[in-house]
Amino acid sequence: MTQPQTKSPDKQAVRETAPAKINLALHVTGQRNDGYHLLDMLVTFARHGDVVTVTQSAEDSFTISGRFGAGLSADQDNLVIAARDGLADLMTQAGRTATPVHIHLEKNLPVASGIGGGSADAAATLRALMRLWDFVPRQADLDKLALSLGADVPMCLTGRPAFVRGIGEDIEAVDLPKFNIILINPQRPVSTPAVFRALETKTNPPLPERLASDWLSYFANARNDLQAPAIQLEPLIDAALQALEASGATLARMSGSGATCFGIYPNEKSADAAFALLEGDHPDWYLLRTETISP
Ligand code: C5P
C-alpha cells in the first residue's frame, strides 16, 4: 500500500519585479518650504529590474542577492523593511494580523543611480505583500504610505508611464510607445540631496505643452534639470552621455539625479549594435540593453 503523502506547509511565494524607472524628462519648477523640490516629469519603466519575492515564514526575515546585492545591507533602514512594516501597520489598523514573511531581494540594478532603486524595491514589496496577505488598504492610506517611503515610490507603485508632478505624488498615466534603449552607468553612486543642493536655479520652466508631434521630438524639447549639477559632481556622467551619442542614440539623457543615463535608439538593430560597441569600449561601466514598457 502506498503511504499517504504528507502535505507540505503552504509555501506560496509571490514574486514582483521592481523595474528600472527612467525619467525621460525632469524639470525642477520650484521648492516647497520643507526643502523638497517641485518637479514636472515624464517617467517610464524598463522591462528589466530588481526582483522581490515574499514567502510565508515562521518569523520575519530579509535576504539580498544579485549583482549589486553586496552594496546593500539587509538591516532596518532598508526601504523594503520600512514598506513591510508600514503595510503591516495599516493591516493592524484594519483589524487584521500581518503574518511573518521572508522577503528576498534580487538586486540586479546599480544602487543610488537615478533609476528608482530602493523606491522601486519598496513599491514591489508593497505589491507583493498586498497579494500574499490578501490585503488592499484604502487608496488614500496606501498613497500616504508610499509617499512617506520616498518621493519616487508612488510612481513606482503605479509602474506605468506617466506625467508626474508635485514632489512625486501627482500622477497622470500616459500611453507611451516602446523604446529601444541602453542604460549606462559609470559605476559611481551619486547622492540625490547633493545634486539638488548643487542645482543653481530652482524655478525652471515646466514641461513643454505636447502638441501633435511625435514623442521623440517632444523629449528633445524637454530637459533633465539635474543633469548639469550632477555632471559638476561626477564628470563621468558627461562621458557616459557622449558615449551614448557617439554610438548612434537619437536622444541621450541622464535619469533622475544620476548617474545612470539612457540612450534611445531608432530600432532594435541599432540598439544591439550600439550595445556591442559600448560594452567593448567600457568594460568597467554598467550597461543594460533593454526596452521601455508600453501598455
Ligand atoms: O524622497 P526621497 O527620500 O527619495 O528623496 C531623497 C532626497 O532627495 C530628499 O531628502 C531631498 O533632499 C531630495 N528630494 C527633493 N525633492 C524631491 C525629491 C527628493 O529635494 N522632489
Side-chain angles (χ1 to χ4, degrees):
M1 234 174 90
T2 46
Q3 293 290 318
Q5 294 224 318
T6 322
K7 235 182 150 198
S8 61
D10 186 13
K11 282 276 181 190
Q12 184 205 7
V14 175
R15 192 173 181 275
E16 282 281 340
T17 51
K21 169 219 69 169
I22 296 155
N23 295 97
L24 294 166
L26 188 163
H27 291 205
V28 181
T29 56
Q31 191 169 26
R32 298 195 320 196
N33 289 336
D34 64 0
Y36 268 83
H37 293 78
L38 293 169
L39 308 172
D40 194 8
M41 304 184 277
L42 181 56
V43 301
T44 190
F45 296 87
R47 211 163 48 76
H48 291 85
D50 298 336
V51 181
V52 172
T53 308
V54 297
T55 324
Q56 302 280 7
S57 178
E59 58 184 28
D60 281 331
S61 55
F62 177 36
T63 50
I64 305 178
S65 67
R67 178 171 168 191
F68 294 98
L72 280 180
S73 60
D75 56 20
Q76 287 303 320
D77 56 9
N78 193 298
L79 271 188
V80 164
I81 301 292
R84 179 200 68 195
D85 292 349
L87 191 66
D89 284 349
L90 289 183
M91 207 163 160
T92 307
Q93 285 165 29
R96 291 184 50 196
T97 307
T99 51
V101 285
H102 172 66
I103 305 179
H104 183 75
L105 169 63
E106 185 186 308
K107 191 77 201 163
N108 300 318
L109 301 173
V111 299
S113 77
I115 47 175
S119 304
D121 299 340
T125 303
L126 292 176
R127 283 197 301 267
L129 286 176
M130 285 193 285
R131 284 169 57 199
L132 188 81
W133 286 336
D134 191 21
F135 170 63
V136 182
R138 286 187 315 183
Q139 191 63 44
D141 291 340
L142 182 61
D143 291 346
K144 198 168 154 208
L145 169 61
L147 192 63
S148 75
L149 293 168
D152 280 355
V153 179
M155 70 180 92
C156 290
L157 192 58
T158 311
R160 294 205 42 201
F163 284 106
V164 182
R165 302 183 188 92
I167 66 162
E169 74 283 13
D170 177 359
I171 299 172
E172 180 198 338
V174 62
D175 284 348
L176 288 179
K178 179 184 103 169
F179 295 109
N180 289 287
I181 64 165
I182 292 176
L183 295 181
I184 189 166
N185 183 303
Q187 304 258 43
R188 300 280 176 98
V190 175
S191 152
T192 302
V195 173
F196 274 108
R197 273 196 303 273
L199 176 72
E200 277 172 20
T201 313
K202 318 265 183 187
T203 49
N204 302 288
L207 282 175
E209 206 180 323
R210 188 166 177 256
L211 303 170
S213 56
D214 69 295
W215 280 109
L216 266 176
S217 332
Y218 180 74
F219 306 152
N221 287 321
R223 317 174 300 273
N224 181 345
D225 287 328
L226 298 180
Q227 192 169 295
I231 290 172
Q232 248 178 46
L233 298 175
E234 181 45 75
L236 276 181
I237 293 170
D238 197 37
L241 289 166
Q242 285 181 31
L244 289 171
E245 273 163 16
S247 74
T250 315
L251 177 82
R253 184 166 287 159
M254 190 182 82
S255 179
S257 56
T260 306
C261 300
F262 62 91
I264 300 183
Y265 293 81
N267 51 49
E268 275 180 37
K269 216 171 138 207
S270 56
D272 289 344
F275 186 72
L277 192 86
L278 290 165
E279 255 194 331
D281 286 351
H282 301 285
D284 297 338
W285 290 3
Y286 171 79
L287 279 156
L288 180 69
R289 164 77 180 93
T290 185
E291 294 90 37
T292 62
I293 57 161
S294 73

